[in-house]
Amino acid sequence: MQTINTEMDAFKTDAYYMNEAIKQADMALARDEVPIGAVVVCGGKIIARGHNMTQRLNDVTAHAEMIALTAAANHLNSKYLDTCTLYVTLEPCLMCAGACAWAQLERIVFGSHDPKKGYSLYTSKALHPKTKVTSGIHEEICGKMLKDYFKSKRT
């Protein structure tokens, strides 16, 4: 009988899906959007993808998480995503955390903390009480993308 290291398997899985979110962030960057990407996973399958589209849509609510959550809800034909995990390259803002709470996500996994606008700055109760949070998956990559983007805007 083979022993499975579930903690290591979970990390590998989280790293794989975070790589998919990073690909979405790359798409945002290619469109001169803030490079944040997200994917929603349900039953081991990516059911939705999103990246920042605030400039393109001229919509301050068009964050990667919001785009991905809407696509996931449409895919499942349900407003509740309680069997889904959201992978996002940056800690959700308070608006996106609120949307995650209403969707009742099972889990949120994010790459880099957001020291200026992340939901955890405001409250630890922004998410649904059953939502589990994992942070720091590919944190350096996710953080570097954002730092490089904003540095290029300042020069």
Side-chain angles (χ1 to χ4, degrees):
M1 184 173 178
Q2 185 177 3
T3 304
I4 298 173
N5 182 344
T6 55
E7 188 173 311
M8 183 55 105
D9 290 343
F11 177 79
K12 286 180 185 176
T13 301
D14 287 346
Y16 172 80
Y17 291 122
M18 188 59 71
N19 281 333
E20 294 299 309
I22 290 168
K23 289 177 187 177
Q24 290 296 306
D26 284 334
M27 290 175 70
L29 184 61
R31 293 182 172 108
D32 200 28
E33 295 275 359
V34 177
I36 300 171
V39 297
V40 177
V41 175
C42 187
K45 180 180 171 187
I46 296 174
I47 62 166
R49 299 171 189 270
H51 57 272
N52 267 13
M53 297 177 75
T54 58
Q55 299 297 326
R56 182 176 182 194
L57 297 177
N58 198 29
D59 179 356
V60 296
T61 68
H63 291 195
E65 301 95 312
M66 303 297 275
I67 304 281
L69 291 174
T70 299
N74 288 334
H75 177 85
L76 294 175
N77 196 29
S78 174
K79 63 183 177 181
Y80 298 116
L81 305 175
D82 56 344
T83 59
C84 300
T85 300
L86 171 70
Y87 290 86
V88 61
T89 57
L90 183 66
E91 176 185 2
C93 69
L94 196 54
M95 174 187 70
C96 292
C100 291
W102 285 111
Q104 299 181 15
L105 281 167
E106 179 177 30
R107 191 164 172 245
I108 297 172
V109 179
F110 66 85
S112 182
H113 285 272
D114 185 348
K116 293 182 180 177
K117 303 260 182 182
Y119 77 90
S120 62
L121 291 172
Y122 303 99
T123 178
S124 61
K125 297 180 182 186
L127 302 175
H128 190 274
K130 292 182 182 177
T131 300
K132 297 172 190 76
V133 177
T134 301
S135 63
I137 304 297
H138 291 325
E139 184 171 16
E140 288 182 29
I141 296 167
C142 296
K144 185 175 181 340
M145 286 181 79
L146 287 160
K147 286 176 189 164
D148 291 349
Y149 174 80
F150 286 113
K151 184 177 180 182
S152 76
K153 294 295 179 187
R154 287 191 295 270
T155 57

